[in-house]
Amino acid sequence: MAEYLSHYGTYWVYPLKYQSGDIAFPEWCSLLTLCLAPLIAHIAAGFPAPSYLSSRPPKWHESIALYNPTSILWRYAAITDRRIRAKAWDRKDMAGTNALFWTSQGWDGSQEMITLSLPHCTHLPQHNRINLFSSEFIKTAIVTLQGVQALVGLGLALGDGKNSKSGFVAYMGVDLIFFPLAFIGLVRLFCAFWLTDDFAYSTSTPQTGLNGSELQAMTTKDCERRISLDSLLHEELSAPIVAEDRFLPTSYWASRAFRAIFLLPTFLLLAICLMFMIQPGGGKQFTLTAFLVALFYFIFLTTTIFICGYYLVRGHTSTILPCLGTRWYEAYTGILVGMILVIFVISCIETRHTACGKWTSAPYSAGDSGACSDGVRPDVIRMDFNQLPDFGLSTTMPRVNADNKTLGDGDFWVRNFTGTCLGTLGSTLMRHVSTLEEVDLNDLAKVTSINDTLQQYLRHPDD
């Protein structure tokens, strides 16, 4: 197999090979749906639409960092921690905690914005927790099921290699490159009851464009000039409350306990990633798709642990990652986006269909067996006519070929068999034959009888 592999450091990586030429358009539609569903679901569910409190909208590079998976994980941590520390949790807290505020000074997810943003609030949630029949509950249920599927699938694939049962293929095709991202759905459970997008903030007030210091100077009279819609008619218009009066400090024991355990799912996924990348006692074979996918998740998970761990230890409370507006974090986001695009293109090139219906990026020498063999189904191999030149399908049709060669009595053609064979390679059920019986395929009864005899022989080879 070594001649088919390129060696990079301690890893063996199959060279890039175009294998997707036979995929039909309907299959491409299905593949791309499976590919993009986890990515879109978890990013779309991770953030609501931003609330603009400034006349200047954010630039594209200031917005794209919001949808970095690291930003989503931090937001879940900050919302959960804020709910734990809340002395009294109401609808204003829920809306202000979930909102992504854009001010003239950039993104602001501080605790003070809960009350400072009230003059711009035009709609509040109906309750201080999600409704059982709300869209947020449905989102949480969907992404949680995806997260459980991802975690179980990855674990089973590592445990005994029966990855076809779990739906995960180590030599994954384009359909599974974002599959591990579904673990975000499990982290979402920490704050599932307090996630909502049922709120609205508007800049249509006299205070449009105020920065943080100007908002803090607002009086009760200023607050009363907000837009008053039905959802706000019965809200108290008291003076802004200092954040320290609404929330317990981060030294609160429950907050400390949560901050200590929040990153455990991320550590678990990183451990699984390392187990895929490192094989004790030797090298490991990768397709280029699988290698880049493993590298992507290693970079993302390691960076997430360092960034979120740093801010959790230091007691930051903003629901927007404190470093989100920095150049280096924007560069990190750009690296992840670039890797996603590269992985997507390469996986589209390498993906092919296996005999058992799964998709893989590996060549025939490894892909079918790795994707389909699970100890229950027979082994799946590809018969390569260059290695097995005498193996083929015999036929007497046509009697005359394109070169005007005519079959004589007892002659037959042997066509190279280059498809996929389901069976057990190396089986002891081998017989030597000196003649080949011709069978008329139109005689269905005879064919059925032969098939029954063959099945009986396979079940009882000694009879």
Side-chain angles (χ1 to χ4, degrees), residues 39 43 60-61 63-69 177-178 181 296 299-300 329-345:
L39 181 66
I43 289 180
W60 68 270
H61 61 85
S63 296
I64 195 172
L66 281 176
Y67 306 100
N68 186 319
I177 57 177
F178 300 125
L181 271 182
F296 168 80
I299 293 174
F300 154 58
Y329 190 80
E330 291 178 356
Y332 159 62
T333 302
I335 291 173
L336 292 187
V337 172
M339 290 189 69
I340 286 175
L341 294 176
V342 171
I343 292 170
F344 178 76
V345 172

mmCIF file of all heavy atoms in Angstrom, residues 39 43 60-61 63-69 177-178 181 296 299-300 329-345:
data_model
loop_
_atom_site.group_PDB
_atom_site.id
_atom_site.type_symbol
_atom_site.label_atom_id
_atom_site.label_comp_id
_atom_site.label_asym_id
_atom_site.label_seq_id
_atom_site.Cartn_x
_atom_site.Cartn_y
_atom_site.Cartn_z
ATOM 1 N N LEU A 39 -23.476 22.569 10.155
ATOM 2 C CA LEU A 39 -22.842 23.885 10.202
ATOM 3 C C LEU A 39 -23.889 24.989 10.290
ATOM 4 O O LEU A 39 -23.818 25.869 11.162
ATOM 5 C CB LEU A 39 -21.965 24.081 8.954
ATOM 6 C CG LEU A 39 -21.207 25.398 8.861
ATOM 7 C CD1 LEU A 39 -20.159 25.492 9.961
ATOM 8 C CD2 LEU A 39 -20.556 25.549 7.493
ATOM 9 N N ILE A 43 -24.781 27.269 13.807
ATOM 10 C CA ILE A 43 -24.470 28.699 13.723
ATOM 11 C C ILE A 43 -25.754 29.515 13.774
ATOM 12 O O ILE A 43 -25.837 30.532 14.477
ATOM 13 C CB ILE A 43 -23.670 28.996 12.452
ATOM 14 C CG1 ILE A 43 -22.253 28.418 12.585
ATOM 15 C CG2 ILE A 43 -23.608 30.497 12.189
ATOM 16 C CD1 ILE A 43 -21.375 28.658 11.387
ATOM 17 N N TRP A 60 -18.034 43.952 7.654
ATOM 18 C CA TRP A 60 -18.172 42.507 7.494
ATOM 19 C C TRP A 60 -17.208 41.746 8.406
ATOM 20 O O TRP A 60 -17.578 40.725 8.988
ATOM 21 C CB TRP A 60 -17.958 42.102 6.032
ATOM 22 C CG TRP A 60 -16.538 42.298 5.554
ATOM 23 C CD1 TRP A 60 -16.007 43.408 4.970
ATOM 24 C CD2 TRP A 60 -15.482 41.344 5.645
ATOM 25 N NE1 TRP A 60 -14.680 43.218 4.686
ATOM 26 C CE2 TRP A 60 -14.330 41.956 5.085
ATOM 27 C CE3 TRP A 60 -15.376 40.039 6.135
ATOM 28 C CZ2 TRP A 60 -13.105 41.295 5.007
ATOM 29 C CZ3 TRP A 60 -14.157 39.386 6.057
ATOM 30 C CH2 TRP A 60 -13.044 40.006 5.501
ATOM 31 N N HIS A 61 -15.979 42.248 8.551
ATOM 32 C CA HIS A 61 -15.017 41.534 9.381
ATOM 33 C C HIS A 61 -15.334 41.698 10.870
ATOM 34 O O HIS A 61 -14.866 40.923 11.702
ATOM 35 C CB HIS A 61 -13.593 42.009 9.089
ATOM 36 C CG HIS A 61 -13.360 43.473 9.361
ATOM 37 N ND1 HIS A 61 -13.030 43.959 10.599
ATOM 38 C CD2 HIS A 61 -13.429 44.550 8.537
ATOM 39 C CE1 HIS A 61 -12.889 45.268 10.544
ATOM 40 N NE2 HIS A 61 -13.135 45.657 9.302
ATOM 41 N N SER A 63 -18.477 41.543 11.905
ATOM 42 C CA SER A 63 -19.650 40.691 12.109
ATOM 43 C C SER A 63 -19.328 39.210 12.003
ATOM 44 O O SER A 63 -19.905 38.387 12.715
ATOM 45 C CB SER A 63 -20.748 41.039 11.089
ATOM 46 O OG SER A 63 -21.212 42.358 11.274
ATOM 47 N N ILE A 64 -18.396 38.847 11.116
ATOM 48 C CA ILE A 64 -18.156 37.433 10.848
ATOM 49 C C ILE A 64 -17.620 36.704 12.071
ATOM 50 O O ILE A 64 -17.868 35.509 12.266
ATOM 51 C CB ILE A 64 -17.205 37.275 9.638
ATOM 52 C CG1 ILE A 64 -17.253 35.823 9.141
ATOM 53 C CG2 ILE A 64 -15.783 37.679 10.002
ATOM 54 C CD1 ILE A 64 -16.512 35.618 7.844
ATOM 55 N N ALA A 65 -16.883 37.439 12.933
ATOM 56 C CA ALA A 65 -16.325 36.790 14.125
ATOM 57 C C ALA A 65 -17.419 36.334 15.090
ATOM 58 O O ALA A 65 -17.174 35.456 15.925
ATOM 59 C CB ALA A 65 -15.369 37.749 14.837
ATOM 60 N N LEU A 66 -18.619 36.911 14.995
ATOM 61 C CA LEU A 66 -19.724 36.474 15.842
ATOM 62 C C LEU A 66 -20.054 35.006 15.626
ATOM 63 O O LEU A 66 -20.447 34.298 16.552
ATOM 64 C CB LEU A 66 -20.979 37.302 15.556
ATOM 65 C CG LEU A 66 -21.096 38.700 16.169
ATOM 66 C CD1 LEU A 66 -22.364 39.357 15.664
ATOM 67 C CD2 LEU A 66 -21.093 38.632 17.682
ATOM 68 N N TYR A 67 -19.903 34.548 14.398
ATOM 69 C CA TYR A 67 -20.346 33.210 14.033
ATOM 70 C C TYR A 67 -19.228 32.177 14.109
ATOM 71 O O TYR A 67 -19.401 31.040 13.675
ATOM 72 C CB TYR A 67 -20.956 33.256 12.630
ATOM 73 C CG TYR A 67 -22.053 34.301 12.546
ATOM 74 C CD1 TYR A 67 -21.821 35.553 11.982
ATOM 75 C CD2 TYR A 67 -23.299 34.052 13.090
ATOM 76 C CE1 TYR A 67 -22.805 36.519 11.949
ATOM 77 C CE2 TYR A 67 -24.302 35.009 13.057
ATOM 78 C CZ TYR A 67 -24.049 36.240 12.482
ATOM 79 O OH TYR A 67 -25.039 37.199 12.456
ATOM 80 N N ASN A 68 -18.105 32.584 14.644
ATOM 81 C CA ASN A 68 -17.048 31.635 14.960
ATOM 82 C C ASN A 68 -17.578 30.666 16.027
ATOM 83 O O ASN A 68 -18.185 31.092 17.007
ATOM 84 C CB ASN A 68 -15.836 32.411 15.489
ATOM 85 C CG ASN A 68 -14.631 31.529 15.709
ATOM 86 O OD1 ASN A 68 -14.719 30.421 16.189
ATOM 87 N ND2 ASN A 68 -13.466 32.047 15.356
ATOM 88 N N PRO A 69 -17.392 29.350 15.871
ATOM 89 C CA PRO A 69 -17.889 28.412 16.895
ATOM 90 C C PRO A 69 -17.361 28.714 18.293
ATOM 91 O O PRO A 69 -18.061 28.452 19.283
ATOM 92 C CB PRO A 69 -17.397 27.049 16.389
ATOM 93 C CG PRO A 69 -17.245 27.224 14.915
ATOM 94 C CD PRO A 69 -16.818 28.641 14.723
ATOM 95 N N ILE A 177 -18.005 16.058 7.030
ATOM 96 C CA ILE A 177 -16.891 16.913 7.453
ATOM 97 C C ILE A 177 -17.286 17.860 8.586
ATOM 98 O O ILE A 177 -16.434 18.253 9.392
ATOM 99 C CB ILE A 177 -16.322 17.712 6.258
ATOM 100 C CG1 ILE A 177 -17.407 18.559 5.591
ATOM 101 C CG2 ILE A 177 -15.675 16.791 5.250
ATOM 102 C CD1 ILE A 177 -16.880 19.430 4.456
ATOM 103 N N PHE A 178 -18.564 18.236 8.682
ATOM 104 C CA PHE A 178 -19.013 19.114 9.771
ATOM 105 C C PHE A 178 -19.786 18.342 10.837
ATOM 106 O O PHE A 178 -20.350 18.948 11.748
ATOM 107 C CB PHE A 178 -19.886 20.240 9.217
ATOM 108 C CG PHE A 178 -19.173 21.116 8.221
ATOM 109 C CD1 PHE A 178 -19.703 21.322 6.958
ATOM 110 C CD2 PHE A 178 -17.962 21.720 8.535
ATOM 111 C CE1 PHE A 178 -19.049 22.121 6.030
ATOM 112 C CE2 PHE A 178 -17.296 22.503 7.615
ATOM 113 C CZ PHE A 178 -17.838 22.713 6.360
ATOM 114 N N LEU A 181 -19.172 19.035 14.600
ATOM 115 C CA LEU A 181 -19.626 20.323 15.132
ATOM 116 C C LEU A 181 -20.931 20.185 15.911
ATOM 117 O O LEU A 181 -21.277 21.068 16.697
ATOM 118 C CB LEU A 181 -19.827 21.336 13.998
ATOM 119 C CG LEU A 181 -18.639 22.200 13.587
ATOM 120 C CD1 LEU A 181 -19.062 23.167 12.497
ATOM 121 C CD2 LEU A 181 -18.059 22.947 14.776
ATOM 122 N N PHE A 296 -8.345 20.676 11.430
ATOM 123 C CA PHE A 296 -9.271 21.787 11.676
ATOM 124 C C PHE A 296 -9.845 21.711 13.084
ATOM 125 O O PHE A 296 -9.845 22.707 13.827
ATOM 126 C CB PHE A 296 -10.399 21.755 10.645
ATOM 127 C CG PHE A 296 -11.562 22.663 10.980
ATOM 128 C CD1 PHE A 296 -11.499 24.015 10.722
ATOM 129 C CD2 PHE A 296 -12.713 22.147 11.563
ATOM 130 C CE1 PHE A 296 -12.562 24.854 11.036
ATOM 131 C CE2 PHE A 296 -13.778 22.975 11.881
ATOM 132 C CZ PHE A 296 -13.698 24.326 11.615
ATOM 133 N N ILE A 299 -7.228 22.497 15.833
ATOM 134 C CA ILE A 299 -6.963 23.934 15.973
ATOM 135 C C ILE A 299 -8.136 24.627 16.658
ATOM 136 O O ILE A 299 -7.960 25.409 17.600
ATOM 137 C CB ILE A 299 -6.684 24.562 14.592
ATOM 138 C CG1 ILE A 299 -5.367 24.029 14.027
ATOM 139 C CG2 ILE A 299 -6.647 26.087 14.682
ATOM 140 C CD1 ILE A 299 -5.083 24.491 12.606
ATOM 141 N N PHE A 300 -9.355 24.339 16.210
ATOM 142 C CA PHE A 300 -10.541 24.983 16.768
ATOM 143 C C PHE A 300 -10.721 24.646 18.250
ATOM 144 O O PHE A 300 -10.940 25.538 19.083
ATOM 145 C CB PHE A 300 -11.768 24.572 15.949
ATOM 146 C CG PHE A 300 -13.064 24.617 16.696
ATOM 147 C CD1 PHE A 300 -13.512 25.803 17.280
ATOM 148 C CD2 PHE A 300 -13.840 23.476 16.840
ATOM 149 C CE1 PHE A 300 -14.714 25.841 17.982
ATOM 150 C CE2 PHE A 300 -15.033 23.506 17.522
ATOM 151 C CZ PHE A 300 -15.467 24.690 18.106
ATOM 152 N N TYR A 329 -8.144 37.888 16.795
ATOM 153 C CA TYR A 329 -9.300 37.000 16.794
ATOM 154 C C TYR A 329 -9.970 36.998 15.416
ATOM 155 O O TYR A 329 -10.454 35.957 14.957
ATOM 156 C CB TYR A 329 -10.303 37.431 17.860
ATOM 157 C CG TYR A 329 -11.404 36.414 18.075
ATOM 158 C CD1 TYR A 329 -11.179 35.288 18.858
ATOM 159 C CD2 TYR A 329 -12.653 36.567 17.487
ATOM 160 C CE1 TYR A 329 -12.182 34.333 19.054
ATOM 161 C CE2 TYR A 329 -13.660 35.634 17.677
ATOM 162 C CZ TYR A 329 -13.418 34.515 18.461
ATOM 163 O OH TYR A 329 -14.412 33.578 18.635
ATOM 164 N N GLU A 330 -9.988 38.137 14.760
ATOM 165 C CA GLU A 330 -10.503 38.175 13.398
ATOM 166 C C GLU A 330 -9.636 37.339 12.470
ATOM 167 O O GLU A 330 -10.138 36.671 11.559
ATOM 168 C CB GLU A 330 -10.582 39.621 12.910
ATOM 169 C CG GLU A 330 -11.651 40.459 13.625
ATOM 170 C CD GLU A 330 -11.667 41.907 13.151
ATOM 171 O OE1 GLU A 330 -10.786 42.261 12.326
ATOM 172 O OE2 GLU A 330 -12.539 42.669 13.584
ATOM 173 N N ALA A 331 -8.304 37.361 12.690
ATOM 174 C CA ALA A 331 -7.399 36.534 11.892
ATOM 175 C C ALA A 331 -7.655 35.048 12.157
ATOM 176 O O ALA A 331 -7.663 34.226 11.223
ATOM 177 C CB ALA A 331 -5.949 36.893 12.209
ATOM 178 N N TYR A 332 -7.870 34.697 13.418
ATOM 179 C CA TYR A 332 -8.182 33.314 13.776
ATOM 180 C C TYR A 332 -9.480 32.866 13.101
ATOM 181 O O TYR A 332 -9.562 31.749 12.560
ATOM 182 C CB TYR A 332 -8.286 33.212 15.305
ATOM 183 C CG TYR A 332 -9.064 32.029 15.828
ATOM 184 C CD1 TYR A 332 -8.653 30.722 15.571
ATOM 185 C CD2 TYR A 332 -10.218 32.224 16.596
ATOM 186 C CE1 TYR A 332 -9.375 29.642 16.065
ATOM 187 C CE2 TYR A 332 -10.931 31.146 17.096
ATOM 188 C CZ TYR A 332 -10.511 29.859 16.828
ATOM 189 O OH TYR A 332 -11.231 28.805 17.309
ATOM 190 N N THR A 333 -10.484 33.738 13.097
ATOM 191 C CA THR A 333 -11.740 33.418 12.415
ATOM 192 C C THR A 333 -11.502 33.221 10.922
ATOM 193 O O THR A 333 -12.060 32.301 10.311
ATOM 194 C CB THR A 333 -12.773 34.541 12.634
ATOM 195 O OG1 THR A 333 -12.993 34.719 14.036
ATOM 196 C CG2 THR A 333 -14.089 34.210 11.957
ATOM 197 N N GLY A 334 -10.658 34.093 10.332
ATOM 198 C CA GLY A 334 -10.339 33.958 8.909
ATOM 199 C C GLY A 334 -9.650 32.640 8.600
ATOM 200 O O GLY A 334 -9.907 32.022 7.556
ATOM 201 N N ILE A 335 -8.781 32.170 9.501
ATOM 202 C CA ILE A 335 -8.107 30.882 9.301
ATOM 203 C C ILE A 335 -9.127 29.741 9.305
ATOM 204 O O ILE A 335 -9.084 28.844 8.452
ATOM 205 C CB ILE A 335 -7.036 30.663 10.392
ATOM 206 C CG1 ILE A 335 -5.881 31.649 10.190
ATOM 207 C CG2 ILE A 335 -6.525 29.225 10.365
ATOM 208 C CD1 ILE A 335 -4.861 31.615 11.308
ATOM 209 N N LEU A 336 -10.060 29.786 10.260
ATOM 210 C CA LEU A 336 -11.085 28.738 10.306
ATOM 211 C C LEU A 336 -11.955 28.747 9.054
ATOM 212 O O LEU A 336 -12.250 27.681 8.480
ATOM 213 C CB LEU A 336 -11.964 28.910 11.547
ATOM 214 C CG LEU A 336 -11.325 28.669 12.911
ATOM 215 C CD1 LEU A 336 -12.393 28.720 13.999
ATOM 216 C CD2 LEU A 336 -10.591 27.342 12.960
ATOM 217 N N VAL A 337 -12.350 29.934 8.608
ATOM 218 C CA VAL A 337 -13.180 30.030 7.404
ATOM 219 C C VAL A 337 -12.408 29.509 6.186
ATOM 220 O O VAL A 337 -12.944 28.768 5.356
ATOM 221 C CB VAL A 337 -13.645 31.478 7.178
ATOM 222 C CG1 VAL A 337 -14.336 31.617 5.827
ATOM 223 C CG2 VAL A 337 -14.582 31.921 8.297
ATOM 224 N N GLY A 338 -11.117 29.887 6.095
ATOM 225 C CA GLY A 338 -10.292 29.416 4.984
ATOM 226 C C GLY A 338 -10.149 27.901 4.990
ATOM 227 O O GLY A 338 -10.243 27.248 3.934
ATOM 228 N N MET A 339 -9.942 27.322 6.167
ATOM 229 C CA MET A 339 -9.818 25.858 6.255
ATOM 230 C C MET A 339 -11.123 25.174 5.889
ATOM 231 O O MET A 339 -11.125 24.128 5.221
ATOM 232 C CB MET A 339 -9.391 25.463 7.671
ATOM 233 C CG MET A 339 -7.971 25.843 8.046
ATOM 234 S SD MET A 339 -7.448 25.135 9.631
ATOM 235 C CE MET A 339 -7.364 23.380 9.199
ATOM 236 N N ILE A 340 -12.246 25.761 6.303
ATOM 237 C CA ILE A 340 -13.544 25.184 5.960
ATOM 238 C C ILE A 340 -13.729 25.135 4.448
ATOM 239 O O ILE A 340 -14.179 24.128 3.876
ATOM 240 C CB ILE A 340 -14.679 25.986 6.630
ATOM 241 C CG1 ILE A 340 -14.723 25.693 8.128
ATOM 242 C CG2 ILE A 340 -16.031 25.667 5.985
ATOM 243 C CD1 ILE A 340 -15.725 26.531 8.890
ATOM 244 N N LEU A 341 -13.376 26.213 3.771
ATOM 245 C CA LEU A 341 -13.515 26.260 2.310
ATOM 246 C C LEU A 341 -12.610 25.239 1.632
ATOM 247 O O LEU A 341 -13.017 24.542 0.694
ATOM 248 C CB LEU A 341 -13.210 27.670 1.800
ATOM 249 C CG LEU A 341 -14.193 28.767 2.227
ATOM 250 C CD1 LEU A 341 -13.717 30.133 1.723
ATOM 251 C CD2 LEU A 341 -15.591 28.475 1.704
ATOM 252 N N VAL A 342 -11.356 25.138 2.106
ATOM 253 C CA VAL A 342 -10.413 24.182 1.520
ATOM 254 C C VAL A 342 -10.894 22.750 1.736
ATOM 255 O O VAL A 342 -10.880 21.926 0.815
ATOM 256 C CB VAL A 342 -9.006 24.381 2.115
ATOM 257 C CG1 VAL A 342 -8.081 23.256 1.691
ATOM 258 C CG2 VAL A 342 -8.423 25.720 1.676
ATOM 259 N N ILE A 343 -11.329 22.440 2.956
ATOM 260 C CA ILE A 343 -11.816 21.097 3.260
ATOM 261 C C ILE A 343 -13.041 20.766 2.411
ATOM 262 O O ILE A 343 -13.174 19.652 1.889
ATOM 263 C CB ILE A 343 -12.151 20.976 4.763
ATOM 264 C CG1 ILE A 343 -10.869 21.057 5.594
ATOM 265 C CG2 ILE A 343 -12.892 19.676 5.049
ATOM 266 C CD1 ILE A 343 -11.125 21.177 7.079
ATOM 267 N N PHE A 344 -13.923 21.743 2.258
ATOM 268 C CA PHE A 344 -15.132 21.517 1.469
ATOM 269 C C PHE A 344 -14.784 21.182 0.021
ATOM 270 O O PHE A 344 -15.314 20.220 -0.556
ATOM 271 C CB PHE A 344 -16.024 22.751 1.530
ATOM 272 C CG PHE A 344 -17.281 22.647 0.715
ATOM 273 C CD1 PHE A 344 -18.353 21.888 1.168
ATOM 274 C CD2 PHE A 344 -17.398 23.292 -0.499
ATOM 275 C CE1 PHE A 344 -19.513 21.781 0.422
ATOM 276 C CE2 PHE A 344 -18.553 23.194 -1.252
ATOM 277 C CZ PHE A 344 -19.609 22.438 -0.793
ATOM 278 N N VAL A 345 -13.870 21.939 -0.582
ATOM 279 C CA VAL A 345 -13.497 21.713 -1.986
ATOM 280 C C VAL A 345 -12.805 20.359 -2.144
ATOM 281 O O VAL A 345 -13.139 19.568 -3.037
ATOM 282 C CB VAL A 345 -12.591 22.857 -2.490
ATOM 283 C CG1 VAL A 345 -12.038 22.526 -3.875
ATOM 284 C CG2 VAL A 345 -13.359 24.168 -2.532
#
